[in-house]
Amino acid sequence: MISVVLTFVVASLASGAYLWGVMKACGTVVPKVDVFTIAAVCSGLAMLPYAGLILAILVMSLLMLRTTDAGLWPDTLLSTVGSAIIWLVVRAVFLGS
């Protein structure tokens, strides 16, 4: 149980920091609270078995497009792909799956 909570916390913080960095590099102004909320919601979805990662990618893309003035390329796609890689790596390190 502790490894699941640790995985969620690390994935949320890492993907939130990545999202904030990409948005800042692309010149999109997004409040940190919004970025870390999106990261936490999608990190939780990504931990679901089977379709969780696909669902998290879709939800993150929709949330980024709806709540920010980010464009589809490069802001949203780079954020989503990078976060998916972070989720996979963190899940493999902490949960071994």
Side-chain angles (χ1 to χ4, degrees), residues 4-89:
V4 173
V5 172
L6 188 62
T7 301
F8 172 73
V9 170
V10 171
S12 295
L13 291 175
S15 63
Y18 175 77
L19 285 175
W20 182 75
V22 168
M23 290 295 140
K24 189 165 179 120
C26 292
T28 305
V29 178
V30 183
K32 289 181 186 177
V33 174
D34 293 349
V35 169
F36 283 99
T37 303
I38 291 170
V41 167
C42 294
S43 293
L45 287 174
M47 292 178 62
L48 294 173
Y50 307 112
L53 186 63
I54 294 168
L55 184 62
I57 289 171
L58 290 174
V59 168
M60 179 175 274
S61 298
L62 288 174
L63 285 174
M64 294 299 290
L65 288 172
R66 296 281 182 181
T67 61
T68 67
D69 59 346
L72 185 62
W73 176 260
D75 306 336
T76 303
L77 288 178
L78 284 179
S79 300
T80 306
V81 169
S83 292
I85 292 169
I86 289 171
W87 296 325
L88 289 173
V89 168

Side-chain angles (χ1 to χ4, degrees), residues 3-4 7 87-97:
S3 63
V4 173
T7 301
W87 296 325
L88 289 173
V89 168
V90 169
R91 187 174 178 177
V93 168
F94 287 106
L95 297 179
S97 61

